[in-house]
């Protein structure tokens, strides 16, 4: 089930979109990178951890700022086209 719970500004949308794209790119790189290049692998792991942390921090900050409805087994998702935030749960 998907329920609209709020909106963010375009600037806020751009911030999470950049983090989303970066995290996805790093996850894809992690699938093909081997531990043969230990230095590059360690940089990837560090960057992925930092990016994932920033990604979650954004959701925490915005959820607190806008007081979006939440549920224990739900998660929020954003429509990048119109800045709408949805609460998504298994129906």
């Amino acid at each position: 089930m998907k329920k609209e719970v709020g909106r963010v500004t375009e600037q806020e949308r751009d911030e999470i979109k950049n983090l989303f794209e970066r995290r996805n790119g790093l996850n894809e790189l992690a699938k093909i990178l081997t531990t043969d290049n230990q230095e590059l692998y360690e940089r990837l792991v560090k960057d992925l951890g930092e990016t994932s942390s920033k990604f979650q921090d954004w959701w925490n900050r915005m959820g607190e700022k806008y007081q979006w409805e939440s549920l224990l087994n739900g998660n929020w998702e954003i429509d990048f086209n119109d800045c709408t935030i949805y609460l998504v749960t298994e129906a």
Side-chain angles (χ1 to χ4, degrees), residues 22-37:
R22 181 172 184 81
R23 189 183 68 166
N24 285 351
L26 291 169
N27 280 327
E28 288 301 312
L29 182 58
K31 291 177 184 176
I32 60 170
L33 187 65
T34 65
T35 56
D36 294 344
N37 185 337

Side-chain angles (χ1 to χ4, degrees), residues 1-5 56 59-60 63 67-77 85-91:
M1 187 173 90
K2 198 170 172 176
K3 175 183 178 183
E4 183 176 334
V5 294
Q56 187 58 51
W59 284 107
N60 294 343
Q67 296 295 302
W68 296 325
E69 178 183 345
S70 63
L71 293 171
L72 186 59
N73 293 323
N75 64 286
W76 294 313
E77 122 183 342
I85 304 298
Y86 295 95
L87 175 60
V88 180
T89 57
E90 291 184 24

Side-chain angles (χ1 to χ4, degrees), residues 32-44:
I32 60 170
L33 187 65
T34 65
T35 56
D36 294 344
N37 185 337
Q38 191 65 30
E39 181 183 342
L40 184 58
Y41 181 78
E42 287 176 11
R43 285 177 48 200
L44 171 67

Side-chain angles (χ1 to χ4, degrees), residues 49-64:
E50 289 173 356
T51 301
S52 294
S53 181
K54 289 177 184 177
F55 184 83
Q56 187 58 51
D57 287 347
W58 184 92
W59 284 107
N60 294 343
R61 279 187 295 116
M62 295 302 119
E64 188 173 317

Side-chain angles (χ1 to χ4, degrees), residues 3-20:
K3 175 183 178 183
E4 183 176 334
V5 294
R7 292 187 182 277
V8 293
T9 67
E10 289 183 4
Q11 182 179 0
E12 291 164 340
R13 184 246 353 242
D14 293 346
E15 181 183 352
I16 194 63
K17 186 175 183 183
N18 288 336
L19 290 168
F20 176 79

